[in-house]
Amino acid sequence: MKTNSDTSHYLASSASRGKFVLSRRRNERGQVAIFVALIFQVVFVFFALLINVGLLVHHKINLQHSTDLAAYYGAMKQAEQMNAIAHINFQMRQAWKLLTWRYRVLGTFGFIPRTTGGQSQVFPFQQSPRGVSEFTFNGSGGTYARNLATAYVNGTDATNCGRQGILVDGRGVGIQDIPFFCVGHTGIFPWPEQESLCQLDCSMFRRASVITRIPNVTAASTIFNRSLGSTLNQGVNAANGAIEVGCDSLAPVGAKLLTKFLVAYNVESTIRSETIKMLAKNVSQDVGQMVDLDGNKIIDGSRRTFQNNLTGANFTGLDSASSFKAYNGLSSLKCTFNNGNTPGSTEFLKKIEFKLINYFLHSCDSRSRNFAYEPKSLYTTTGIDQLFLNGAPGQALTPDERDFLLSLLGSQNLHSIGYEKNPNCVEYFAVKTFSEPNIPFLPLSKIRLEASAVAKPFGGSIGPSFGKTWPSGADVSQYNDTVADSKTDATMPRRDVVTDPNEATDLKQSVYRQPNFALFVGDHLGLRNLDYLAAYHSMLAKRDIKNYPSKSYASNRGGFKIENLLSGSWPAFANWATISLPATDLRPYDTLASPNSLEAGMRAIEITAIAPNQFDVAYYSIEPDFYNNYYIKLFKNFTTIRNAAGNNVNLTANQLRGDFGSVGMDGNTIPTSDPPLTPKSFSVKDQILLKNIVLDDPPTVRPSPSYQFAGTAGTKYREILNYVVSFQTSLLTGWTFLHFNDYIKFPDQPVDKTSNTMSFGQCDDPWNKASSNPDPTQDSNFQSPMNDNADNPPVPGNCVTGGRTGYSVKLVSPAVVLDPSLMLNPMPLNFFDF
């Protein structure tokens, strides 16, 4: 039986057990928090992993984009220098064109055809014996065309001087094929009026003109008394002596003027060649030494471009010593530029050189029974003919002229039209980088990010190669002497060394040694073109060209008049009086004809002759405003660029040349005391405008049905010479859209969505308009952005919207520059090893 105490103990025990049970149940419910805490750790790990991956991708993309920009920057600076080289290379071609024009056009300006065998020669250009005002011009039309057709077939027609079966390109040889430089005629002041020694028959040019010697009175002593006979013979001898003096004076006059032209060509060509050498050496050296046209190291700019576009984490993760590496593709030993004319060297630029060119002019032969003007070669197989070096009394060369002329023989680059680029040497700029960015959830370790990029200039052209093929490993382009079409410019002289001593005087072979240049792609005649010669001879004789603004040619129009010559005229020997006397500071110096207001017509004609033609724009990257886009930079930073290229550059800043016509167009000498001297910013765009204005008249023709000038009546000179470009937009080599946010609108016409095409070479800027048929004689269409607004910077091509000139830049796959079968200068295999 239980007592009260037992009952109380039992109750107490029961109460204790109840509290224990309740406490345990609460502990069981707390297990969820533990699981939550454990799951949070897992979720946090995945979250951190997600953040890390996202940050790594972000930093990797940023590193790659920054590397791309760095490579693009380097290639952009390469392209800028390649564009400068290309334009200066075109200036070298212009120097060659000027020499060629003076030799072929000016030198044959005053020929008078003679009657041979009862037949009167009819040339595409000719002067009447009555004086320069009686010039007639036939071009390829009229009587000349009919006679020429016969000569083309059999080469025997005397009209074309194609006797003895001598044919060139299937045609009879004429004065247009082998020009004889002769300036002793009334067309060039101050040669006596009504007298011309540039007479020509067709006896294979052995006797350009024959003047019969007056015989002595041998029977005078028997017919007359001895004293009278002696007196008569003295008079005869005096007359013959006067003829001989005139005969002897012709060749030295021509020799001296031709020498001036050669010296002027040598000055222009040599200085521009040295400028190209400086830039080519700089752009093809080690990446750490190469500078841009602003004088800054390209690798420094590329590195800053890379660093300035990095995220903070990528920037702090750089190793300043090794995180950035760059490579200049042209610095490869097989492509780096040394001198441009080293035989066997595969440099990326090679000089196009001519070892021998025959220049013919008339000399006097008084040894025979009669006086004869004979062709004479400037070059002989042993050197320069002494006639050119010594001259005649009063016509001897100056020391400078003699030294320059001798230097043409003493150097390895007798003549050059410029440089050709080896297509097997590819220009590119490569960059590799790495970074170890700090990632927030990886405090104890870093991940290394790596990137590489290659960019290359493209779309431009330094100039045509001489031959059409260039096998890998060849040091120069290749062509076949017997196949004209194997040369890019089929009219150019042969490039090889003359080994046959007879070739120097072989008239047929001489055709292939004469200076010449193509007027358009596929041209086989060049300045042998009869219409071209007739047009320019008409300008020289009739002076029927329009005035260039601020220049007056009015006093010279309407023919040759002595009263005009007394106050200055053109063409005159004085027009070129100073071109062979270069000064140390060449910036105020110009080898074009005189800029004097009364003589500037000759200068204007020379500029039209060297303005870019269709062949030029097809093969050269030509900058319409060279002065503002390149010259100023070159002059300002010349010392830095030359030092970077090496001290072997034989050039000073004062010798830098602008475009032809950039000095003295206003007739004033630019003071040399200006620091720095700023030449007039006359550039190629101004050459084109001048050509359009000056040639905006039709030629004066003789109203005779047998003398038909090229083209229809009223045809303007610039329409006859239609292979010379008429707008600066013709120089554009690319295009863009009118609005970058609207890929439909485009200057002049919309994009054709079906064929995905757009207008080429269009420009819609007010100063360089190509759409809506702009006026080619309106100077407002030949300006630059700075003319529209002085605060605007210069723009290559002068086209902000619609096109570009020269080289642009693109990113390419690194694989493109790793294949040695595609280029001479592939990327070193270990460059992309990190």
Side-chain angles (χ1 to χ4, degrees):
M1 183 174 151
K2 293 182 180 177
T3 64
N4 290 334
S5 60
D6 292 333
T7 302
S8 300
H9 176 72
Y10 175 77
L11 293 174
S13 298
S14 299
S16 299
R17 286 197 299 272
K19 290 180 180 179
F20 176 77
V21 172
L22 290 173
S23 176
R24 185 176 61 184
R25 288 177 179 173
R26 290 193 189 99
N27 291 338
E28 289 176 351
R29 286 197 299 270
Q31 292 176 13
V32 175
I34 296 174
F35 281 113
V36 169
L38 292 175
I39 291 173
F40 177 78
Q41 296 296 324
V42 174
V43 171
F44 180 79
V45 169
F46 279 107
F47 175 76
L49 180 62
L50 180 63
I51 294 298
N52 284 349
V53 172
L55 287 174
L56 285 174
V57 172
H58 171 68
H59 294 319
K60 171 61 178 175
I61 293 175
N62 171 254
L63 184 70
Q64 184 62 57
H65 283 176
S66 300
T67 305
D68 290 344
L69 289 172
Y72 195 94
Y73 176 93
M76 179 181 67
K77 294 300 184 179
Q78 277 184 327
E80 184 181 39
Q81 296 192 64
M82 299 287 277
N83 285 336
I85 290 173
H87 186 86
I88 298 170
N89 203 40
F90 171 65
Q91 291 175 341
M92 289 189 67
R93 180 175 176 86
Q94 286 186 303
W96 172 261
K97 289 169 68 174
L98 182 59
L99 171 66
T100 301
W101 186 90
R102 286 168 166 174
Y103 173 60
R104 282 188 172 272
V105 179
L106 186 68
T108 59
F109 159 45
F111 276 100
I112 301 175
R114 292 171 57 84
T115 299
T116 301
Q119 181 179 9
S120 177
Q121 281 74 59
V122 182
F123 292 91
F125 43 89
Q126 62 187 55
Q127 178 193 164
S128 166
R130 289 173 293 180
V132 70
S133 60
E134 295 298 324
F135 273 78
T136 55
F137 303 91
N138 311 301
S140 56
T143 304
Y144 184 77
R146 292 191 291 273
N147 290 335
L148 196 61
T150 303
Y152 281 179
V153 174
N154 54 36
T156 60
D157 185 73
T159 300
N160 199 42
C161 298
R163 296 173 62 183
Q164 303 178 11
I166 301 298
L167 301 177
V168 174
D169 299 333
R171 309 186 317 171
V173 176
I175 186 64
Q176 70 275 8
D177 300 302
I178 307 176
F180 296 106
F181 189 85
C182 184
V183 290
H185 59 84
T186 58
I188 301 181
F189 179 74
W191 199 268
E193 200 169 14
Q194 307 300 329
E195 177 183 335
S196 178
L197 300 180
C198 300
Q199 301 181 43
L200 185 70
D201 66 22
C202 292
S203 302
M204 280 313 299
F205 306 113
R206 287 196 302 269
R207 293 289 187 270
S209 180
V210 177
I211 299 178
T212 303
R213 184 189 294 269
I214 302 173
N216 287 110
V217 186
T218 54
S221 59
T222 58
I223 300 176
F224 305 101
N225 60 54
R226 184 178 301 275
S227 177
L228 178 58
S230 176
T231 301
L232 288 174
N233 282 328
Q234 287 178 6
V236 169
N237 292 335
N240 283 330
I243 296 175
E244 186 170 359
V245 168
C247 181
D248 288 335
S249 67
L250 173 62
V253 168
K256 189 173 181 66
L257 186 59
L258 183 55
T259 299
K260 286 179 177 292
F261 292 159
L262 285 166
V263 171
Y265 155 78
N266 192 51
V267 170
E268 299 283 8
S269 179
T270 300
I271 290 175
R272 288 180 167 90
S273 177
E274 288 297 314
T275 309
I276 290 178
K277 286 181 181 181
M278 178 180 71
L279 293 173
K281 181 65 177 176
N282 174 58
V283 81
S284 66
Q285 63 183 331
D286 181 79
V287 70
Q289 302 299 319
M290 184 169 51
V291 301
D292 59 22
L293 296 186
D294 294 309
N296 303 315
K297 284 193 174 183
I298 293 178
I299 193 171
D300 291 342
S302 179
R303 183 185 291 108
R304 284 193 299 270
T305 300
F306 166 69
Q307 293 175 349
N308 291 341
N309 285 279
L310 291 174
T311 61
N314 272 335
F315 184 81
T316 58
L318 296 178
D319 181 342
S320 60
S322 58
S323 287
F324 180 91
K325 299 290 184 183
Y327 180 78
N328 174 22
L330 291 179
S331 66
S332 167
L333 290 178
K334 290 186 177 181
C335 291
T336 186
F337 184 84
N338 293 315
N339 193 41
N341 57 5
T342 305
S345 172
T346 55
E347 304 164 82
F348 88 96
L349 281 186
K350 296 293 288 189
K351 198 170 189 179
I352 300 174
E353 299 172 316
F354 308 116
K355 301 300 183 182
L356 175 66
I357 301 174
N358 294 323
Y359 292 92
F360 287 98
L361 79 166
H362 294 301
S363 63
C364 181
D365 179 11
S366 58
R367 294 169 298 175
S368 60
R369 183 169 55 88
N370 296 319
F371 300 103
Y373 300 107
E374 297 184 320
K376 191 73 173 180
S377 174
L378 188 159
Y379 295 125
T380 68
T381 55
T382 58
I384 296 180
D385 190 273
Q386 288 299 309
L387 168 70
F388 287 82
L389 296 180
N390 298 331
Q395 294 292 337
L397 303 180
T398 67
D400 283 343
E401 291 169 345
R402 184 185 178 96
D403 290 344
F404 269 105
L405 194 58
L406 287 173
S407 72
L408 295 179
L409 275 187
S411 63
Q412 291 301 312
N413 54 339
L414 296 183
H415 298 277
S416 176
I417 197 172
Y419 289 81
E420 57 181 356
K421 183 183 177 297
N422 190 334
N424 302 300
C425 290
V426 179
E427 59 279 6
Y428 61 89
F429 194 90
V431 173
K432 69 174 182 179
T433 63
F434 75 84
S435 177
E436 295 179 340
N438 291 316
I439 306 299
F441 299 107
L442 290 177
L444 299 180
S445 63
K446 295 181 179 181
I447 295 180
R448 179 180 169 115
L449 303 178
E450 299 171 346
S452 60
V454 178
K456 72 179 303 296
F458 79 102
S461 176
I462 284 178
S465 58
F466 189 81
K468 288 188 175 180
T469 62
W470 199 320
S472 180
D475 61 338
V476 296
S477 61
Q478 306 297 302
Y479 78 103
N480 187 332
D481 256 339
T482 62
V483 181
D485 281 333
S486 66
K487 293 184 290 188
T488 306
D489 182 347
T491 70
M492 292 300 295
R494 291 174 177 171
R495 192 177 191 176
D496 60 328
V497 179
V498 175
T499 56
D500 182 1
N502 295 321
E503 187 175 340
T505 55
D506 186 325
L507 293 177
K508 180 179 178 181
Q509 293 301 319
S510 175
V511 174
Y512 304 106
R513 295 290 179 190
Q514 301 294 321
N516 206 350
F517 61 85
L519 302 172
F520 49 86
V521 175
D523 184 15
H524 282 243
L525 292 177
L527 269 60
R528 294 161 59 198
N529 183 305
L530 303 177
D531 292 335
Y532 182 97
L533 290 168
Y536 273 109
H537 285 152
S538 177
M539 295 179 216
L540 293 170
K542 299 294 186 181
R543 301 167 179 85
D544 50 358
I545 59 176
K546 276 194 173 180
N547 294 342
Y548 184 69
S550 78
K551 291 291 179 291
S552 174
Y553 310 146
S555 63
N556 299 316
R557 300 178 69 168
F560 185 89
K561 297 179 180 179
I562 286 294
E563 56 267 28
N564 293 337
L565 297 179
L566 297 178
S567 58
S569 187
W570 54 272
F573 292 109
N575 294 159
W576 303 279
T578 62
I579 65 171
S580 60
L581 302 173
T584 303
D585 188 344
L586 291 181
R587 288 171 294 167
Y589 170 77
D590 201 319
T591 60
L592 289 168
S594 171
N596 180 279
S597 59
L598 289 177
E599 302 172 358
M602 190 68 248
R603 182 185 186 87
I605 288 180
E606 289 188 341
I607 290 178
T608 69
I610 64 174
N613 58 36
Q614 194 265 354
F615 181 92
D616 298 334
V617 298
Y619 288 105
Y620 290 87
S621 292
I622 304 172
E623 172 54 48
D625 192 3
F626 174 75
Y627 173 77
N628 285 307
N629 282 286
Y630 298 107
Y631 179 91
I632 292 176
K633 288 183 178 181
L634 283 171
F635 181 82
K636 182 179 179 181
N637 305 297
F638 176 84
T639 301
T640 302
I641 299 172
R642 183 183 64 181
N643 291 342
N647 293 326
N648 59 338
V649 176
N650 186 23
L651 190 68
T652 67
N654 288 346
Q655 293 176 312
L656 287 176
R657 307 295 288 124
D659 279 319
F660 281 92
S662 63
V663 177
M665 273 305 298
D666 56 0
N668 297 320
T669 300
I670 298 174
T672 57
S673 58
D674 292 351
L677 175 68
T678 303
K680 181 178 175 63
S681 57
F682 187 94
S683 295
V684 168
K685 62 181 176 59
D686 304 290
Q687 295 174 0
I688 298 172
L689 173 62
L690 182 145
K691 184 272 300 184
N692 293 338
I693 295 174
V694 168
L695 305 187
D696 199 40
D697 264 355
T700 303
V701 296
R702 186 174 181 177
S704 170
S706 62
Y707 295 105
Q708 177 184 344
F709 189 78
T712 59
T715 302
K716 297 178 179 179
Y717 277 120
R718 61 182 174 87
E719 295 168 336
I720 297 171
L721 305 172
N722 58 3
Y723 22 72
V724 185
V725 301
S726 296
F727 296 100
Q728 59 172 324
T729 47
S730 300
L731 308 178
L732 297 176
T733 57
W735 58 89
T736 186
F737 293 96
L738 182 60
H739 303 290
F740 289 103
N741 60 347
D742 186 342
Y743 295 100
I744 302 300
K745 294 180 181 178
F746 189 79
D748 199 40
Q749 66 184 57
V751 176
D752 184 340
K753 294 181 180 179
T754 303
S755 59
N756 194 29
T757 60
M758 63 181 74
S759 301
F760 180 82
Q762 296 293 308
C763 190
D764 202 40
D765 294 320
W767 58 83
N768 189 8
K769 201 172 186 63
S771 58
S772 304
N773 299 318
D775 184 354
T777 63
Q778 179 54 252
D779 60 355
S780 61
N781 293 318
F782 293 85
Q783 303 297 327
S784 68
M786 293 174 291
N787 292 105
D788 186 60
N789 186 331
D791 294 329
N792 286 338
V795 176
N798 285 337
C799 189
V800 175
T801 304
R804 59 170 171 80
T805 56
Y807 287 86
S808 293
V809 177
K810 63 181 177 180
L811 292 169
V812 297
S813 168
V816 172
V817 297
L818 289 173
D819 189 349
S821 66
L822 299 178
M823 62 185 70
L824 288 175
N825 58 330
M827 177 73 67
L829 294 177
N830 62 350
F831 180 79
F832 289 130
D833 294 341
F834 289 94

